[in-house]
């Protein structure tokens, strides 16, 4: 049984809107925040290990025209932890719980990085309620670099380093600056919640399933029919590791071209964190998909 629990207090005045909880079938609470009214409802899914607090330059703008929802995946922000393996099926199931609590739709799902595969799996479970999907520099199974031996070494290093960096405070110091351009209350939540030891452990738990889940996506891709899908790719070349950025952008082109209604959008001033460097690109794609001229 799913039930929503309103959160009382100052969160009603938060830039993200009103805070609430939905309860999963196994009794875990997932925290979400809602602002705006009108259809479609836009639901944002964050990248690996991150809470709702990366969408501060996008969700409030979208909420001026329609209902916009950010939420905390299990183990992030104010949501409960999940002791079970963080597979795509498990995470998409939690997203489905939230969508059911929000009503029949229609929904536009927006997923960044690892959130891209999550929203794709959730959308395929019930295409009738989905207006479209916006994938923001998603983790793409068509990118061969994810399956290289060097990737496994990098994952193993991250597993050891991330909790240690969080305990030392370096994780917050290194990662917390880029989100500082968001509204003050969102930026404060981002710094307080997204760089803790708990957040690092959640990232590791999600990463532990990453390679296997990507391989499963290749073998059994979610069936999305003629759904309207935008693939936004950050195409700005970094000073180092240009090969990785080029390979991911090429994968995004391939993925967008494989869908009947796939659309490739290049964010030319961005790398991976498009929501911070070019939020207007995401806003434009959501509004286009919603039919909001």
């Amino acid at each position: 049984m799913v039930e929503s629990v309103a959160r009382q207090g100052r969160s009603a005045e938060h830039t993200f809107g009103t805070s609430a909880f939905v309860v999963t079938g196994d009794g875990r609470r997932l925290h979400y925040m809602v602002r705006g009214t009108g259809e479609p409802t836009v639901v944002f899914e964050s990248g690996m290990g991150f809470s709702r607090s990366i969408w501060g330059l996008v969700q409030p703008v979208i909420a001026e025209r329609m209902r916009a929802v950010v939420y905390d995946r299990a183990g992030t922000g104010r949501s409960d932890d999940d002791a079970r393996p963080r597979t795509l099926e498990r995470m998409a199931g939690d997203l489905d719980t939230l969508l059911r609590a929000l009503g029949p739709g229609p929904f536009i799902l927006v997923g960044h990085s690892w959130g891209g595969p999550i929203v794709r799996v959730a959308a395929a479970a019930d295409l009738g309620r989905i207006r479209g999907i916006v994938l923001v520099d998603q983790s793409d199974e068509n990118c061969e670099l994810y399956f290289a031996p060097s990737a496994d070494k990098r994952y193993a290093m991250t597993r050891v380093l991330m909790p240690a960096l969080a305990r030392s405070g370096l994780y917050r110091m290194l990662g917390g600056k880029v989100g500082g351009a968001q509204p003050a209350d969102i930026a404060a939540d981002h710094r307080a919640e997204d760089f803790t030891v708990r957040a690092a452990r959640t990232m590791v738990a999600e990463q532990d399933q990453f390679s296997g889940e990507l391989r499963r996506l290749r073998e059994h891709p979610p069936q999305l029919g003629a759904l309207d899908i935008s693939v936004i790719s950050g195409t700005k070349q970094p000073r180092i590791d240009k090969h990785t950025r080029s390979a991911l952008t090429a994968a995004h082109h391939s993925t967008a071209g494989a869908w009947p209604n796939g659309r490739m959008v290049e964010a030319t001033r961005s790398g991976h964190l498009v929501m911070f460097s070019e939020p207007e690109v995401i806003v434009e794609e959501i509004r286009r998909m919603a039919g909001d001229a």
Side-chain angles (χ1 to χ4, degrees):
M1 179 178 178
V2 176
E3 60 181 278
S4 295
V5 183
R7 182 179 177 88
Q8 302 297 321
R10 62 185 178 87
S11 62
E13 301 174 358
H14 196 282
T15 302
F16 275 150
T18 302
S19 189
F21 290 89
V22 62
V23 181
T24 65
D26 59 355
R28 291 174 293 113
R29 298 200 309 167
L30 298 175
H31 173 252
Y32 67 99
M33 301 185 78
V34 183
R35 179 173 175 176
T37 59
E39 293 185 351
T41 295
V42 183
V43 180
F44 294 86
E45 183 78 48
S46 299
M48 187 174 289
F50 282 100
S51 74
R52 70 200 179 280
S53 297
I54 64 168
W55 297 108
L57 299 178
V58 180
Q59 188 258 19
V61 181
I62 293 300
E64 294 172 1
R65 307 285 188 91
M66 59 202 84
R67 185 166 65 152
V69 181
V70 292
Y71 88 107
D72 298 323
R73 225 168 26 250
T76 71
R78 300 172 190 167
S79 288
D80 291 343
D81 294 344
D82 184 8
R84 293 183 59 181
R86 305 300 294 149
T87 63
L88 283 176
E89 181 180 9
R90 182 71 168 172
M91 292 185 288
D94 283 354
L95 176 54
D96 175 72
T97 296
L98 173 62
L99 296 181
R100 290 178 183 276
L102 293 173
F107 297 103
I108 292 175
L109 304 182
V110 183
H112 173 248
S113 192
W114 194 221
I118 294 171
V119 301
R120 285 160 51 201
V121 172
D126 188 353
L127 287 175
R129 63 186 175 180
I130 307 299
R131 174 76 58 84
I133 298 175
V134 179
L135 304 172
V136 183
D137 214 64
Q138 76 153 353
S139 303
D140 197 308
E141 64 271 23
N142 288 315
C143 184
E144 293 296 337
L145 291 183
Y146 285 138
F147 306 100
S150 59
D152 290 334
K153 294 178 181 178
R154 189 165 58 249
Y155 303 150
M157 185 180 299
T158 300
R159 199 177 205 291
V160 175
L161 285 180
M162 288 305 297
L165 287 172
R167 283 191 293 270
S168 71
L170 285 175
Y171 185 25
R172 179 178 287 107
M173 185 182 301
L174 295 171
K177 294 180 180 179
V178 68
Q182 300 184 108
D185 51 359
I186 297 173
D189 288 347
H190 180 52
R191 285 185 58 81
E193 297 174 355
D194 287 0
F195 304 100
T196 63
V197 173
R198 177 183 184 243
R201 287 173 176 163
T202 296
M203 178 180 289
V204 167
E206 293 183 355
Q207 182 188 261
D208 282 348
Q209 304 298 317
F210 183 74
S211 294
E213 291 298 279
L214 276 183
R215 288 187 173 89
R216 274 186 280 276
L217 277 181
R218 289 182 120 184
E219 297 167 2
H220 306 288
Q223 298 303 303
L224 299 175
L227 203 62
D228 192 358
I229 305 173
S230 291
V231 181
I232 300 174
S233 185
T235 59
K236 182 180 179 180
Q237 290 291 334
R239 293 180 181 178
I240 59 174
D241 202 16
K242 294 182 179 181
H243 180 55
T244 298
R245 177 51 42 189
S246 296
L248 187 55
T249 297
H252 291 157
H253 274 280
S254 175
T255 296
W259 286 313
N261 289 320
R263 170 183 167 91
M264 177 70 183
V265 179
E266 294 191 355
T268 58
R269 293 184 286 106
S270 300
H272 188 50
L273 301 176
V274 183
M275 76 288 295
F276 294 143
S277 51
E278 288 183 271
E280 68 277 6
V281 173
I282 305 171
V283 169
E284 182 178 348
E285 281 306 297
I286 295 170
R287 287 181 170 173
R288 180 196 62 80
M289 196 170 283
D292 181 17

